[in-house]
Amino acid sequence: VEGRVFGQDGAALAGAVVHMWQTDGLAGKYKHPADPEQHLVDPEFNSWGGTVTDQNGYYRFRTVRPIAYPADVDWMRPDHLHFMVYVGKKRVLTTQSYFEGDQWLHQDKILLALTEGDQESWIVQLKTQAVTWTESEGSREMPVGSFDMIVKP
């Protein structure tokens, strides 16, 4: 997933810290010490990361697609990513993004609490494109989603 961080004035925010966390790609579990089912979590997956936006406000994470999980007896959380953005030491945004076409979008209580326009801005469309992460890996085709965030610094 990649995107840009902007201020409310539309200017790109360089130097913003973006944290992202999610469930693993095997069991739909977060890596969390209070979860009694930690033995189900993919041991090779960290479940979170952080980066600093470049001079154009750009950030990028390489990850696996998270898996839906039951939040309650009548509520499945769709595949989603969580984000926190900091400007300086101040947390200026906590949000999440979803994936277009997920079968659980229509019943997610958090997404449904938003206006239709806001719902659309939280849903990411994955597009396959050539991506190069390191020179040794070279370029390869992979799904990439773009999620821009607007913050009030």
Side-chain angles (χ1 to χ4, degrees):
V1 67
E2 61 188 19
R4 294 179 70 198
V5 178
F6 299 96
Q8 287 183 310
D9 61 359
L13 288 180
V17 175
V18 180
H19 291 274
M20 191 266 303
W21 69 98
Q22 67 178 83
T23 63
D24 68 5
L26 295 178
K29 303 292 287 176
Y30 291 98
K31 195 174 270 190
H32 193 282
D35 186 340
E37 296 182 323
Q38 284 298 286
H39 64 283
L40 298 175
V41 176
D42 180 352
E44 300 298 317
F45 185 66
N46 192 30
S47 82
W48 63 273
T51 191
V52 177
T53 59
D54 70 9
Q55 68 275 10
N56 298 309
Y58 180 76
Y59 73 91
R60 186 180 193 191
F61 290 100
R62 178 180 181 178
T63 189
V64 299
R65 183 164 175 162
I67 293 181
Y69 61 89
D72 207 342
V73 292
D74 64 342
W75 179 17
M76 279 295 286
R77 290 299 325 270
D79 305 351
H80 61 282
L81 304 171
H82 298 273
F83 295 91
M84 252 187 222
V85 179
Y86 291 81
V87 174
K89 294 184 180 194
K90 181 181 176 188
R91 183 175 65 196
V92 294
L93 180 68
T94 302
T95 190
Q96 54 195 301
S97 68
Y98 299 88
F99 297 95
E100 182 178 68
D102 187 290
Q103 66 177 330
W104 302 109
L105 288 177
H106 70 282
Q107 72 165 36
D108 186 65
K109 294 177 182 181
I110 295 171
L111 187 62
L112 294 176
L114 302 173
T115 66
E116 191 172 311
D118 284 342
Q119 287 178 24
E120 289 176 16
S121 71
W122 282 27
I123 297 173
V124 170
Q125 182 181 49
L126 295 175
K127 297 178 181 177
T128 301
Q129 62 188 52
V131 175
T132 302
W133 282 94
T134 64
E135 285 187 32
S136 63
E137 286 183 324
S139 179
R140 62 182 177 182
E141 296 285 314
M142 56 182 28
V144 177
S146 182
F147 185 63
D148 292 342
M149 295 177 269
I150 299 171
V151 302
K152 182 179 180 180

